[in-house]
Amino acid sequence: MTETEAKSIHTLIRELQSIIKNSQEQWGLNFPKGQGDKGDKSDKSQTNIAIANAVHTFGPVNLNELFEEIPQKITLMREIITQFKNNMLTGIQGSEQSLSNYINQLKKETERLDSLAELKDSIKTCKSLALDACHDNSTAFKFIIQQIESLGKQLGLLIYHDTGEPGETVLTMSGAIIVLDIKYDEILNRIIKVVVSYATDARQNDKDDRVNNLLTQQLSDFKQFNLFKKNLETLKTLETMSKLIQPVDCFHCIKCISNDIKTIYEKEFAITNGDVQKILTEGHGIPLFNVDRVGPSIAYWAPKHQIMEIDWKFIKDIIIQGEMHESFRSLHRMWISMEKSRTPHLFLPPGRNQYLLNDELENEIELMENYYISPELPEVQFSLLQAPLKFLHPKEDSTIFASALIEFVVWLDPPVYVSDNVARHIGSYAGIVNRGYFVSSAFQKKDPQTLSLEQLLIEGIIPPIKHSSTSRAPKIIHQWEKKFDDSLYLQVFNLDSKCNTKARRIDRIPFSNLFQVYGLIKILRQQLLFNKLYQSCFNSSTYKQITITRPSKHDHAEKISPDAEDAEAKIQIKVQTINSPTGLSLDIQLPSKIISPQITIHLSVTILHEDSLLCYATGFGDISNLNEELTGVLQTYQDIPMLINHLLNSLLKPQNVEEIKIEETKLEETKLEETKFEEMNIDGINIDLNLDEIEEIESNMMIDENVMNSYII
């Protein structure tokens, strides 16, 4: 085997390892080598949990691409070995043995090169760690420039250096379509400007200063280098797919989506008189451009407390101008891009810039020859627009469209935990289930370490369990407590161990037409509202750990830690999930200290598809008249503890807390005086009085009626 062939196989093996390593990192399996085998059991179970909840069609890794690339690498390696066997070993005695020897030799060489590559990776890691602690700006800046060049070479971009004004250098990274010019100052050790341009004439008008500003900002801060890397990889991916799968122009496809979401926002902005907050929560969402990631994104939801913190009047103009604002990062967003697909899709021709049908300017009948007209379905239509939007969907039998094995994809930021039923609903609406590669149900059933939705929503709150070999290890109780200033009692929330809703983490959703995205927004809003309500009960600020020491041989009962409060001062609340994300059921147990006999109030919360809520309370007589009021409170605050506090205040109408404390203090003082009186030393008084003595005392204690006057005994 020639040296070139051996290096080719080694290169393919390294590429294969890189693919697997990148997938592991995206799944959250960035553990050191050997930890899966030599690490402790808790680490291994956490690894299984990460895999079980993340490996599916909507996970962070594009399984279509993974299923394609891995077999390709293996096939190429087999072809090299087969070719060597057929061409070099044919007719040679003992060729099988010779081939086996070569393979063994190749394995040894691969192991050596692999060790060398690992050493290089370790050196890079050490270099990065040293950079964080380095106070020499010159050394740190040189390393950043080296990292940029290394990244460009990995992506297959051509690297050029040019000198400008004194002290300034321009680093150019050029591809077939995209060109990146990075101007930096070697004396002041700073990035001056990053400019993205396009080598093709068709894309000359697509230059965008917002992209330049985003990449300049990310490259100026080494902590954001990974974001810069992802954005450069995105641009290169769009270029590669446009070059290999002609005549589809991915940059043009993304531009069509950008035009659509901007047009829809302008329609809703006009109808709502500029109510941006309403568009965010009840409409098609807010269009954002180049917020952290290059390209369009849609802000589609935010919890009420974050919405209240944003100055919507101030950022209204910023949204219209397509500029960036820091408050956008607090919103739930979906970033739109493109990726490889296992099934072909049709895309708009270069002459058309929107999927959205404009009824005022376009004739629907003329377009029906080449397009399906896809109106928004009634169940996913938003109430802000009077008429449903209409989208064009290319016909398969038309000759004016280009077909390619690529598709649109939305990336959720942050990812969303959903129930298994919701994941299937998403898959059905996006057309994923029908393609036959919605793959993780069987995997989840086999893995006992899969986390439920309830567990995922409190993930990271409960500290890891430390196993003890002693039989007297303390017992740990996990509970969540909330107390309001206007309430005397503590709300204690308890998890229902019977609620184990199968769940997935949704990172990305492939789609083929924009009208699907708005259907997905409605589905996600309902799930996010459910998650918010559940986490209002169970979160890190309300979590409390109680330690119960197991009795020793000389103890007769378990000892509870001093911080465990009197059970009579607590309101126990049991939370149950009902067909997530449609509702929650709460059993509120009022202790006898509040009311006797003890009463349990049942509270039912229903989440509708329109992102609205309904609340029903029973169990404290006829309290149905409070349902409308409770629904309003829950809709306003999206907070279960606040809802329960309002309910208790309405039912019990307690006095002012300070007044009650004063009354309780007086009562305690009275009891103390009575106790002192009873314990007085009466040893000097003879209490064995006979009848004559009693009569004498009574006669001496009689009061004259004239002296008594008007007083009443």
Side-chain angles (χ1 to χ4, degrees):
M1 180 174 291
T2 63
E3 184 179 352
T4 304
E5 290 173 332
K7 286 185 176 180
S8 297
I9 290 180
H10 176 259
T11 301
L12 290 169
I13 291 175
R14 291 294 298 167
E15 290 175 355
L16 191 59
Q17 289 176 332
S18 178
I19 292 171
I20 296 173
K21 182 181 177 182
N22 291 338
S23 300
Q24 287 178 330
E25 289 177 352
Q26 291 180 70
W27 282 322
L29 305 180
N30 50 348
F31 48 81
K33 185 179 179 182
Q35 180 177 328
D37 300 324
K38 299 180 182 179
D40 57 34
K41 292 182 179 179
S42 62
D43 291 338
K44 192 170 182 180
S45 67
Q46 291 296 325
T47 297
N48 292 335
I49 287 171
I51 294 176
N53 288 106
V55 180
H56 54 81
T57 305
F58 302 141
V61 177
N62 183 359
L63 297 182
N64 300 326
E65 194 170 349
L66 204 62
F67 293 158
E68 178 183 340
E69 289 183 345
I70 292 178
Q72 281 181 352
K73 305 296 181 188
I74 295 174
T75 301
L76 288 173
M77 285 189 286
R78 283 176 175 168
E79 287 178 355
I80 293 174
I81 294 175
T82 302
Q83 187 177 3
F84 169 74
K85 177 183 177 182
N86 295 336
N87 296 342
M88 302 296 295
L89 301 180
T90 302
I92 300 177
Q93 188 176 4
S95 59
E96 292 295 335
Q97 182 62 38
S98 301
L99 179 61
S100 177
N101 292 337
Y102 272 114
I103 291 175
N104 291 332
Q105 183 181 350
L106 180 61
K107 285 180 180 178
K108 292 179 181 179
E109 180 69 13
T110 301
E111 289 175 359
R112 187 182 67 80
L113 293 173
D114 194 43
S115 300
L116 210 62
E118 287 182 5
L119 180 60
K120 289 181 180 178
D121 292 339
S122 299
I123 292 174
K124 286 181 181 178
T125 303
C126 293
K127 209 170 182 180
S128 298
L129 293 173
L131 179 66
D132 291 336
C134 182
H135 300 288
D136 183 358
N137 291 333
S138 176
T139 303
F141 189 75
K142 287 179 180 178
F143 177 73
I144 292 174
I145 298 300
Q146 290 175 5
Q147 290 290 91
I148 296 171
E149 291 185 23
S150 177
L151 174 61
K153 291 176 181 177
Q154 290 175 12
L155 296 176
L157 299 173
L158 300 177
I159 308 297
Y160 304 97
H161 290 273
D162 194 9
T163 55
E165 297 180 9
E168 292 184 1
T169 302
V170 178
L171 171 63
T172 300
M173 298 190 291
S174 178
I177 298 177
I178 61 169
V179 178
L180 227 71
D181 291 316
I182 303 171
K183 183 186 289 188
Y184 61 93
D185 192 323
E186 292 180 304
I187 299 175
L188 299 177
N189 301 313
R190 67 183 184 92
I191 301 293
I192 299 174
K193 187 71 175 175
V194 178
V195 178
V196 179
S197 57
Y198 300 90
T200 59
D201 295 336
R203 301 268 69 83
Q204 289 303 313
N205 295 329
D206 293 345
K207 296 179 181 179
D208 193 338
D209 288 336
R210 295 172 298 185
V211 177
N212 300 337
N213 295 335
L214 174 67
L215 297 181
T216 301
Q217 174 194 344
Q218 292 174 346
L219 208 51
S220 299
D221 182 3
F222 185 72
K223 294 179 181 179
Q224 298 187 50
F225 184 79
N226 283 336
L227 272 176
F228 172 81
K229 177 182 176 182
K230 289 180 179 180
N231 284 324
L232 186 56
E233 288 172 345
T234 297
L235 293 171
K236 179 58 181 175
T237 299
L238 294 177
E239 176 193 271
T240 302
M241 291 191 297
S242 299
K243 184 174 62 174
L244 296 179
I245 315 176
Q246 294 181 352
V248 174
D249 186 343
C250 294
F251 293 96
H252 172 71
C253 296
I254 294 295
K255 186 176 181 180
C256 292
I257 295 291
S258 301
N259 293 336
D260 283 336
I261 62 176
K262 186 176 180 181
T263 301
I264 295 169
Y265 174 77
E266 291 171 351
K267 288 177 179 288
E268 291 187 329
F269 189 87
I271 290 175
T272 60
N273 294 320
D275 192 340
V276 182
Q277 178 181 335
K278 196 168 188 177
I279 297 173
L280 171 68
T281 56
E282 301 177 31
H284 290 77
I286 301 173
L288 304 175
F289 299 94
N290 307 300
V291 177
D292 293 333
R293 303 299 300 272
V294 292
S297 57
I298 301 173
Y300 65 97
W301 192 79
K304 282 292 176 69
H305 72 275
Q306 289 183 351
I307 290 176
M308 300 298 292
E309 295 173 356
I310 297 176
D311 185 355
W312 294 101
K313 293 182 180 179
F314 175 72
I315 69 171
K316 187 185 301 183
D317 295 333
I318 295 177
I319 295 172
I320 294 175
Q321 296 166 6
E323 299 297 332
M324 167 61 189
H325 192 268
E326 189 63 31
S327 61
F328 294 158
R329 292 193 171 98
S330 65
L331 308 176
H332 281 259
R333 294 166 286 153
M334 47 175 60
W335 168 63
I336 301 174
S337 187
M338 301 185 79
E339 66 181 20
K340 291 182 180 179
S341 170
R342 293 177 65 184
T343 55
H345 293 272
L346 297 171
F347 298 92
L348 295 181
R352 182 167 187 88
N353 293 320
Q354 281 188 291
Y355 282 91
L356 188 65
L357 177 67
N358 191 331
D359 290 321
E360 299 177 359
L361 302 177
E362 296 178 305
N363 190 331
E364 185 174 328
I365 298 176
E366 293 178 359
L367 292 169
M368 289 178 66
E369 180 181 353
N370 295 307
Y371 297 94
Y372 297 109
I373 309 298
S374 302
E376 288 184 307
L377 300 176
E379 61 266 22
V380 296
Q381 182 182 342
F382 293 92
S383 59
L384 297 187
L385 297 178
Q386 297 177 351
L389 298 171
K390 297 179 181 179
F391 296 90
L392 299 179
H393 193 76
K395 287 185 176 180
E396 292 82 356
D397 56 354
S398 177
T399 58
I400 67 171
F401 305 114
S403 175
L405 292 171
I406 53 178
E407 61 190 344
F408 292 110
V409 62
V410 292
W411 285 83
L412 303 186
D413 184 15
V416 179
Y417 293 126
V418 305
S419 68
D420 194 68
N421 289 333
V422 169
R424 292 189 175 279
H425 192 190
I426 290 173
S428 177
Y429 198 81
I432 302 300
V433 175
N434 297 332
R435 301 188 213 165
Y437 59 91
F438 193 62
V439 291
S440 92
S441 297
F443 186 88
Q444 283 192 309
K445 289 178 182 177
K446 293 177 182 178
D447 192 344
Q449 299 293 339
T450 304
L451 287 180
S452 66
L453 178 63
E454 292 80 8
Q455 290 171 315
L456 286 170
L457 293 177
I458 63 170
E459 188 180 19
I461 296 176
I462 300 177
I465 300 174
K466 295 182 179 179
H467 299 283
S468 176
S469 58
T470 63
S471 58
R472 295 186 62 251
K475 179 182 177 182
I476 304 298
I477 295 177
H478 307 290
Q479 64 184 36
W480 286 258
E481 301 177 353
K482 179 70 176 180
K483 189 177 186 302
F484 290 89
D485 293 337
D486 61 346
S487 175
L488 286 173
Y489 304 105
L490 194 68
Q491 299 181 25
V492 180
F493 293 91
N494 301 299
L495 290 168
D496 187 354
S497 58
K498 296 179 181 178
C499 295
N500 291 294
T501 307
K502 290 184 179 179
R504 304 174 196 264
R505 192 186 81 172
I506 306 296
D507 291 80
R508 36 174 286 287
I509 307 172
F511 70 96
S512 57
N513 196 292
L514 187 61
F515 77 87
Q516 295 171 308
V517 172
Y518 295 117
L520 298 174
I521 285 177
K522 277 213 162 186
I523 297 170
L524 291 171
R525 279 176 180 165
Q526 185 187 27
Q527 181 69 61
L528 284 167
L529 183 53
F530 172 89
N531 295 354
K532 170 65 175 65
L533 293 177
Y534 192 84
Q535 289 176 326
S536 69
C537 306
F538 307 104
N539 56 72
S540 57
S541 63
T542 59
Y543 175 72
K544 185 175 183 180
Q545 179 175 292
I546 296 179
T547 304
I548 300 178
T549 306
R550 299 186 184 276
S552 64
K553 289 189 282 185
H554 306 290
D555 295 332
H556 300 286
E558 293 180 334
K559 297 179 180 178
I560 303 177
S561 59
D563 59 348
E565 300 184 31
D566 182 7
E568 290 187 355
K570 297 181 180 181
I571 296 178
Q572 299 291 336
I573 304 163
K574 184 179 181 181
V575 181
Q576 294 177 304
T577 55
I578 304 174
N579 192 23
S580 166
T582 58
L584 291 168
S585 174
L586 299 100
D587 291 340
I588 308 168
Q589 184 176 308
L590 302 182
S592 56
K593 189 173 183 179
I594 295 180
I595 188 167
S596 182
Q598 182 175 293
I599 288 180
T600 299
I601 299 175
H602 302 283
L603 199 62
S604 175
V605 177
T606 303
I607 305 172
L608 304 178
H609 287 287
E610 291 79 10
D611 192 22
S612 59
L613 296 158
L614 292 176
C615 193
Y616 301 94
T618 57
F620 195 87
D622 184 11
I623 54 176
S624 58
N625 60 314
L626 290 175
N627 290 339
E628 185 176 349
E629 181 181 342
L630 294 175
T631 298
V633 171
L634 194 59
Q635 190 74 42
T636 302
Y637 297 104
Q638 296 176 352
D639 190 279
I640 295 292
M642 291 185 70
L643 173 72
I644 294 175
N645 187 59
H646 183 86
L647 172 64
L648 296 176
N649 288 342
S650 300
L651 293 177
L652 305 176
K653 300 185 184 301
Q655 295 169 276
N656 182 272
V657 175
E658 294 301 324
E659 293 178 358
I660 292 178
K661 287 182 178 179
I662 292 172
E663 290 181 4
E664 289 182 346
T665 303
K666 288 181 179 179
L667 182 61
E668 291 296 328
E669 291 176 352
T670 303
K671 289 181 178 179
L672 183 61
E673 291 296 328
E674 291 176 353
T675 304
K676 288 181 179 180
F677 180 78
E678 291 174 356
E679 294 178 352
M680 287 178 60
N681 186 4
I682 56 176
D683 293 341
I685 301 176
N686 184 7
I687 60 174
D688 284 328
L689 301 177
N690 56 33
L691 184 59
D692 295 335
E693 290 174 331
I694 293 174
E695 289 178 351
E696 184 180 351
I697 294 173
E698 287 179 346
S699 63
N700 292 333
M701 293 180 65
M702 291 184 67
I703 302 175
D704 186 76
E705 290 183 357
N706 295 327
V707 178
M708 184 67 186
N709 201 1
S710 60
Y711 291 100
I712 299 174
I713 298 177

